[in-house]
């Protein structure tokens, strides 16, 4: 058994229908110096027994069980277990998703060759049939700071998720993963990690396959707390951004305000969010003429238009949101 070079952390909550496919893809990794830590977060389906069976059948897998505490606590428990196993690098995977067989090998080569503590790749999405695995690249692109921070906020290929990245063990802290948010917790964790890194190695291939289904996180309707959490994440990012990135971060912040307002307006029960919507409208109005916010040259035209409609044509904009923005309803 090789030493644990990479610890792969998989939070598991009622994922029995997808977990075997997920762990089979991890077991098939070309890079075999890994341990996979399955953290059962108080599941009530067959997941606990399945985690134990997978660990019993493959010594590279470890099963942990804890009372239901949320994905942040599960990832943090996995981080502690990975450190106990001597892991020098950490990767993450959601229990319903799939790894490309070259994911760990490619990201590990990228950090090794670049000397950077962070690497990432693109991801793709699927519903029923996983996409074909494209060939992994031999080289990577280096994003030096602050370009890697800008890419985290604006480049969908880099994305907010933890699961398409590889992190040096000394880059991650428990408070990064368990940061007090239930929504956008991955964005805030990544922002803090990226801030601590001098750059990121980007591997241009879809190394992570993100499964979309009715119960997946990207399709669940979000409660009012989600609006508050996302604003908190955006506010911290704005407050801690380096000066060289301030214009870009301000554009990100204002775009987030407008996006969150649209998320509320598309909901049939928008009245349940009236406090959050009022606060967002006040913030959007206050920033409308600000050259750092509503008139920021990096702000997309579509967001400028959305902000105008939010403030000046709210009934029309609500109809448009409910008619055309079907996700998260």
């Amino acid at each position: 058994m090789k030493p644990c070079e990479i610890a792969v952390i998989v939070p598991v909550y009622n994922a029995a229908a997808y977990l075997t496919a997920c762990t089979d893809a991890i077991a098939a990794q070309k890079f075999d110096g890994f341990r996979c830590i399955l953290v059962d977060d108080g599941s009530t389906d067959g997941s606990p027994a399945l985690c134990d069976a997978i660990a019993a059948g493959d010594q590279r897998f470890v099963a942990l069980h804890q009372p239901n505490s949320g994905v942040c606590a599960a990832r943090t428990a996995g981080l502690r277990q990975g450190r106990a196993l001597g892991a020098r690098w950490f990767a993450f995977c959601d229990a319903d998703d799939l790894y490309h067989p070259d994911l760990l090998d490619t990201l590990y080569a990228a950090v090794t060759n670049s000397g950077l503590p962070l690497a990432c790749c693109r991801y793709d999405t699927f519903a029923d049939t996983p996409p074909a695995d494209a060939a992994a690249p031999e080289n990577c692109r280096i994003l030096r700071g602050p370009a890697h921070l800008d890419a985290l906020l604006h480049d969908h290929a880099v994305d907010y998720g933890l699961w398409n990245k590889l992190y040096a063990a000394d880059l991650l802290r428990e408070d990064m993963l368990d940061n007090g948010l239930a929504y956008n917790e991955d964005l805030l964790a990544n922002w803090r990690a990226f801030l601590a890194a001098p750059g990121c190695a980007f591997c241009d291939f879809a190394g992570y396959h993100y499964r979309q289904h009715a119960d997946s996180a990207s399709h669940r309707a979000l409660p009012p707390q989600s609006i508050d959490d996302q604003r908190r994440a955006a506010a911290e990012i704005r407050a801690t951004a380096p000066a060289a990135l301030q214009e870009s971060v301000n554009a990100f912040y204002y775009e987030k305000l407008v996006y969150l307002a649209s998320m509320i307006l598309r909901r049939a029960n928008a009245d349940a969010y009236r406090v959050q919507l009022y606060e967002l409208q006040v913030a959007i109005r206050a920033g409308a003429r600000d050259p750092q916010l509503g008139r920021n040259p990096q702000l997309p035209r579509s967001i400028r238009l959305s902000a105008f409609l939010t403030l000046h044509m709210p009934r029309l904009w609500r109809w448009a949101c409910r008619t055309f923005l079907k996700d998260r309803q």
Side-chain angles (χ1 to χ4, degrees):
M1 182 92 178
K2 290 187 176 182
C4 176
E5 187 72 6
I6 299 175
V8 180
I9 300 172
V10 183
V12 180
Y13 180 70
N14 291 349
Y18 308 106
L19 184 59
T20 299
C22 172
T23 57
D24 283 350
I26 294 172
Q29 288 297 292
K30 182 183 295 185
F31 184 95
D32 63 356
F34 73 88
R35 301 287 181 87
C36 179
I37 303 164
L38 304 173
V39 187
D40 164 43
D41 186 39
S43 298
T44 57
D45 66 351
S47 296
L50 190 54
C51 287
D52 289 337
I54 292 168
D58 189 329
Q59 61 181 343
R60 296 174 298 176
F61 288 77
V62 177
L64 301 181
H65 302 276
Q66 65 180 29
N68 181 242
S69 305
V71 67
C72 291
R75 287 171 178 155
T76 304
L79 183 69
R80 288 193 291 266
Q81 180 63 36
R83 294 197 191 284
L85 294 171
R88 298 180 60 239
W89 299 89
F90 282 91
F92 298 86
C93 186
D94 286 352
D96 50 358
D97 296 339
L98 304 174
Y99 272 5
H100 184 296
D102 290 325
L103 173 68
L104 294 182
D105 194 57
T106 302
L107 295 185
Y108 185 76
V111 294
T112 300
N113 294 334
S114 68
L116 292 170
L118 182 62
C120 69
C121 66
R122 289 189 289 106
Y123 72 97
D124 53 22
T125 62
F126 72 101
D128 300 315
T129 304
D133 291 316
E138 296 182 0
N139 300 307
C140 63
R141 178 162 55 97
I142 304 302
L143 300 172
R144 298 286 181 188
H148 70 311
L149 293 167
D150 189 70
L152 175 65
L153 299 181
H154 298 290
D155 188 343
H156 186 63
V158 174
D159 199 73
Y160 302 166
L162 292 163
W163 25 255
N164 62 334
K165 300 175 179 69
L166 183 66
Y167 305 85
D170 59 3
L171 186 66
L172 292 181
R173 304 188 310 270
E174 289 188 16
D175 65 290
M176 287 180 178
L177 299 180
D178 202 358
N179 51 38
L181 300 185
Y183 303 91
N184 261 189
E185 80 290 341
D186 47 359
L187 168 61
L188 186 56
N190 267 317
W191 176 257
R192 292 175 177 177
F194 273 54
L195 270 179
C200 176
F202 177 74
C203 303
D204 192 10
F205 81 121
Y208 190 89
H209 304 314
Y210 185 94
R211 187 191 302 268
Q212 295 190 324
H213 54 87
D215 296 325
S216 63
S218 62
H219 284 75
R220 289 196 295 267
L222 298 178
Q225 179 196 346
S226 70
I227 306 298
D228 300 331
D229 280 2
Q230 292 186 68
R231 285 196 69 182
R232 283 179 57 196
E236 178 174 324
I237 289 170
R238 189 183 185 202
T240 57
L245 202 65
Q246 200 62 57
E247 184 175 86
S248 172
V249 169
N250 284 335
F252 164 82
Y253 177 78
Y254 198 72
E255 182 171 351
K256 176 67 78 171
L257 297 178
V258 175
Y259 166 73
L260 291 176
S262 79
M263 286 187 64
I264 294 174
L265 292 172
R266 75 187 69 177
R267 300 295 306 277
N269 64 334
D271 286 346
Y273 299 76
R274 58 185 179 276
V275 173
Q276 287 84 359
L277 180 58
Y278 173 76
E279 292 175 345
L280 287 167
Q281 289 171 330
V282 168
I284 293 168
R285 189 179 301 279
R289 297 183 178 278
D290 189 334
Q292 288 298 312
L293 294 173
R295 295 190 174 181
N296 189 312
Q298 294 195 32
L299 197 67
R301 289 183 178 180
S302 59
I303 301 302
R304 294 171 188 260
L305 176 60
S306 298
F308 177 86
L309 293 172
T310 299
L311 297 175
H312 302 291
M313 306 180 72
R315 291 185 180 180
L316 174 63
W317 185 229
R318 179 173 182 174
W319 172 84
C321 288
R322 294 187 63 181
T323 303
F324 299 108
L325 304 177
K326 297 296 187 182
D327 63 310
R328 299 290 198 186
Q329 287 192 357

